[in-house]
Amino acid sequence: MGLEKYLKLLEKMSQLILDQMAKADYDSLLNDFVESEFFLIDGDSLLMTYICEKSLRPEQGLHFFYLVECYLVDLINKGGQFAVVFFKDAEHAYNSIPELLPLRMALILHLQHNTNIDVRTGFSGCFSQEWKSFLEDSYPYFLIVADESLSHLQVHLFNFLIMQSWAMNVNAVLFSGQASDVLRLYAYFMPSNYEHQLIFQKVVCT
């Protein structure tokens, strides 16, 4: 596939994601989806969501960890059962922002050694066989993914992750627009359906 075809694929995929975002329902998670016992959080999406936090200044590294941990603890307190997943291939998305790679590693180590949160770092990428096997075995109800980043490449990778999740019958939830109260977490919910699975097969796998 030539560069022009790759660009067309990325444009088509981005447009599809944008269309689905416009149609997404703003739902209460965790309490309303009672059949959900387990879900996933993309670690790089988590990182970029709080790096892009307007109140965070570059020198506030400790405050960054505080914000991330508060978010995850809030999910746990609301009954959420989840794992945070970091893909090895996702490191390439930081080529244009290499200063964030040490922070990424520090976040992984912090979550692994200073919390009881389930952190998975053994997957090479979202198209790997071990990732597909993990999804088939654990059957998560949804995956929380970002739709914005400081890197255009990373946004495309987030889109690929959403598409691949849909293909594996895993719903997608967006980081952007999330709101929380005492009992619930509200977010944009984009369900996997047969149409998405067909598009993945036709567009991405060909």
Side-chain angles (χ1 to χ4, degrees):
M1 182 183 288
L3 178 59
E4 185 176 347
K5 289 186 178 180
Y6 275 120
L7 292 175
K8 287 183 179 180
L9 169 61
L10 293 176
E11 290 174 3
K12 185 174 183 179
M13 183 177 62
S14 296
Q15 189 57 53
L16 172 66
I17 299 295
L18 288 173
D19 291 344
Q20 294 305 308
M21 286 179 183
K23 301 175 184 177
D25 292 327
Y26 196 63
D27 289 321
S28 169
L29 306 179
L30 306 181
N31 285 358
D32 286 1
F33 295 118
V34 293
E35 70 271 30
S36 173
E37 296 182 353
F38 180 68
F39 63 94
L40 300 171
I41 300 173
D42 175 55
D44 289 286
S45 295
L46 179 66
L47 186 151
M48 293 311 304
T49 295
Y50 285 98
I51 281 295
C52 294
E53 171 65 41
K54 293 180 180 179
S55 64
L56 185 71
R57 296 193 296 271
E59 69 275 11
Q60 292 183 307
L62 289 178
H63 187 54
F64 165 78
F65 290 110
Y66 170 78
L67 291 174
V68 170
E69 197 164 335
C70 281
Y71 173 76
L72 297 177
V73 169
D74 183 57
L75 292 181
I76 293 171
N77 290 340
K78 288 180 169 60
Q81 301 179 49
F82 59 88
V84 180
V85 180
F86 290 88
F87 297 102
K88 296 176 183 177
D89 289 350
E91 292 183 3
H92 299 297
Y94 293 87
N95 288 341
S96 62
I97 43 174
E99 65 275 12
L100 293 184
L101 276 174
L103 182 63
R104 181 181 190 269
M105 179 54 67
L107 177 60
I108 293 172
L109 292 175
H110 172 69
L111 295 178
Q112 287 177 329
H113 298 289
N114 299 325
T115 74
N116 294 321
I117 294 168
D118 185 5
V119 180
R120 308 292 181 103
T121 60
F123 307 112
S124 57
C126 67
F127 295 106
S128 64
Q129 185 56 50
E130 65 267 22
W131 172 245
K132 293 179 182 178
S133 297
F134 171 71
L135 293 181
E136 290 171 350
D137 292 340
S138 60
Y139 199 69
Y141 189 60
F142 58 83
L143 169 69
I144 304 181
V145 187
D147 59 306
E148 61 180 359
S149 171
L150 300 177
S151 161
H152 292 300
L153 174 59
Q154 195 166 53
V155 172
H156 290 315
L157 291 179
F158 291 157
N159 288 343
F160 271 118
L161 182 55
I162 291 173
M163 292 286 293
Q164 194 274 344
S165 299
W166 281 340
M168 294 295 295
N169 203 31
V170 178
N171 304 303
V173 167
L174 297 180
F175 261 110
S176 63
Q178 287 191 18
S180 180
D181 60 23
V182 175
L183 296 176
R184 300 187 178 189
L185 174 72
Y186 301 90
Y188 288 104
F189 186 84
M190 301 191 299
S192 169
N193 58 42
Y194 184 64
E195 177 187 0
H196 295 149
Q197 295 167 19
L198 282 180
I199 292 174
F200 181 86
Q201 292 297 327
K202 292 179 180 179
V203 177
V204 179
C205 296
T206 56

